[in-house]
Amino acid sequence: MLSRCCLCVPVFSRLPAVVQCVTSAMRSLDCVEVQRGACQVLHRLLIAVLGQSVAGACLRSEEVVCSVLNTIHTHSADRDLLTLALPLILILSADESSARRIAEAGGIQEIVRALRRFSGDRDICLPCCEVLWSLVVNRSNSKMVSTEGTLEAVSLVGETHLEDGELMETVCAALWSLTLRESLKEKEWEDTTLLLMHTLNTHTERQGVVKYATLALASLVSKSELAAFRVLLAPSGGSGVRLISEACLRHHDDPEVVENICNLFSEMAQYDDVIPELMSENVKELLQQIQIKFASNKEIVLLAESTLANM
């Protein structure tokens, strides 16, 4: 009923009043049907005003953020309601001020709780991982994250949905944002590296997976020699370096992927005991080919040059 009524008025001329009506209903009527209707209305309005910063300001307010997060908290076991509320948080997290409000209001903790409860539910995990990436990659927000619980929850999703390429792309993005933090434990370095290598091995053909998996691996390797040694061994038992090189060749026309892989090799080359494996898998020749192909790309050329200098 709420959904039908609110959308029958000339919404955009009265948008603040409509939003106030919806959020008031969410706060005062703790009824699942009201909460669902409210989420549906907010979702339609947010989609309608995408790209209109002035018109959509009232939809990105603290009142809206807190109302939606309260619904997620209060009805954390209601799967159907969460599938309506979580996409709202995802849309809101794309706005910097709204993302900050979500983090400050405990949104990250609510997302982690949803991941733990519904780790096997793709429709819950997909927006959750996207939101975590969006929030945690912002360094000011990352200070509000409990790494221990967040990394564990995301890793569980990855292990559960390893064959799902689209979801694993968001898992890798979330893991990358988490690896930018300094407070991971030794076992977390190793386990996260292993999961990323499994993902890369399973979805080598998927550009987004390769992009984020190699970003995360480079971040891990930059801080942990143990992670570098874990990268050397592919999940299939072969060479991890060969797996990465094959991913580079598969996406050889994508400068972003190539740059990320060059960065990963650069981080690996800082460890003397890793260099022989890079040499044996012809990484030197691969980097020389990349230098020629991307001669006009300064970032790629510099990464290739610095890695070759270490080899």
Side-chain angles (χ1 to χ4, degrees):
M1 177 65 72
L2 178 63
S3 177
R4 290 196 298 269
C5 290
C6 286
L7 290 177
C8 286
V9 298
V11 173
F12 295 107
S13 62
R14 302 172 55 188
L15 189 56
V18 172
V19 172
Q20 179 63 42
C21 172
V22 173
T23 54
S24 295
M26 294 177 79
R27 288 195 309 270
S28 59
L29 300 172
D30 189 22
C31 164
V32 171
E33 288 304 319
V34 170
Q35 300 300 320
R36 288 177 184 171
C39 288
Q40 289 170 338
V41 171
L42 291 175
H43 187 267
R44 293 177 190 179
L45 292 176
L46 280 165
I47 293 298
V49 299
L50 282 177
Q52 302 180 40
S53 57
V54 176
C58 61
L59 280 162
R60 297 185 293 271
S61 66
E62 183 175 356
E63 185 176 13
V64 170
V65 168
C66 291
S67 295
V68 177
L69 286 177
N70 183 64
T71 295
I72 292 173
H73 177 80
T74 305
H75 301 277
S76 60
D78 191 321
R79 184 262 180 197
D80 292 338
L81 181 52
L82 289 181
T83 59
L84 295 173
L86 289 169
L88 290 176
I89 296 298
L90 176 58
I91 296 172
L92 289 167
S93 69
D95 176 75
E96 187 174 351
S97 60
S98 296
R100 185 177 62 254
R101 292 187 183 104
I102 293 168
E104 290 173 347
I108 293 172
Q109 289 73 21
E110 294 299 336
I111 295 299
V112 171
R113 185 162 69 150
L115 281 177
R116 286 172 173 164
R117 184 185 289 270
F118 295 99
S119 60
D121 192 319
R122 182 185 193 276
D123 292 336
I124 297 291
C125 294
L126 192 60
C128 281
C129 288
E130 289 185 282
V131 170
L132 281 177
W133 170 77
S134 180
L135 296 179
V136 181
V137 78
N138 184 316
R139 289 189 176 276
S140 62
N141 290 336
S142 70
K143 297 174 184 177
M144 307 176 198
V145 181
S146 171
T147 303
E148 183 177 354
T150 309
L151 187 67
E152 180 184 1
V154 175
S155 297
L156 177 59
V157 172
E159 292 163 6
T160 305
H161 300 273
L162 184 61
E163 301 299 322
D164 187 329
E166 183 182 7
L167 179 51
M168 291 309 298
E169 184 174 330
T170 68
V171 167
C172 289
L175 289 175
W176 169 52
S177 66
L178 289 167
T179 62
L180 297 175
R181 295 169 56 86
E182 298 284 349
S183 55
L184 298 185
K185 300 173 183 176
E186 185 173 289
K187 190 175 187 308
E188 292 175 329
W189 294 118
E190 184 175 8
D191 291 347
T192 305
T193 303
L194 183 59
L195 174 58
L196 289 164
M197 291 299 290
H198 271 294
T199 306
L200 197 57
N201 186 56
T202 306
H203 302 287
T204 311
E205 79 291 343
R206 192 174 181 94
Q207 182 267 354
V209 167
V210 177
K211 169 186 171 181
Y212 287 114
T214 51
L215 277 171
L217 286 168
S219 178
L220 288 164
V221 170
S222 72
K223 303 180 182 76
S224 167
E225 187 173 8
L226 178 61
F229 281 110
R230 174 56 74 183
V231 171
L232 295 181
L233 183 64
S236 59
S239 167
V241 175
R242 186 179 308 160
L243 173 63
I244 295 165
S245 296
E246 289 172 354
C248 186
L249 292 172
R250 183 181 286 268
H251 301 281
H252 63 91
D253 287 327
D254 189 319
E256 192 170 12
V257 169
V258 172
E259 181 178 347
N260 292 349
I261 290 175
C262 285
N263 186 42
L264 174 54
F265 283 144
S266 177
E267 296 296 351
M268 294 178 72
Q270 70 177 304
Y271 303 109
D272 292 340
D273 291 337
V274 172
I275 292 177
E277 182 68 19
L278 297 177
M279 296 293 291
S280 69
E281 292 298 335
N282 301 315
V283 170
K284 184 175 182 179
E285 289 77 4
L286 176 61
L287 291 173
Q288 289 170 338
Q289 293 171 12
I290 288 172
Q291 280 183 304
I292 296 171
K293 182 177 179 63
F294 293 94
S296 62
N297 190 312
K298 183 181 296 186
E299 290 77 11
I300 291 177
V301 169
L302 289 175
L303 280 171
E305 286 179 350
S306 64
T307 307
L308 288 168
N310 286 333
M311 295 171 66

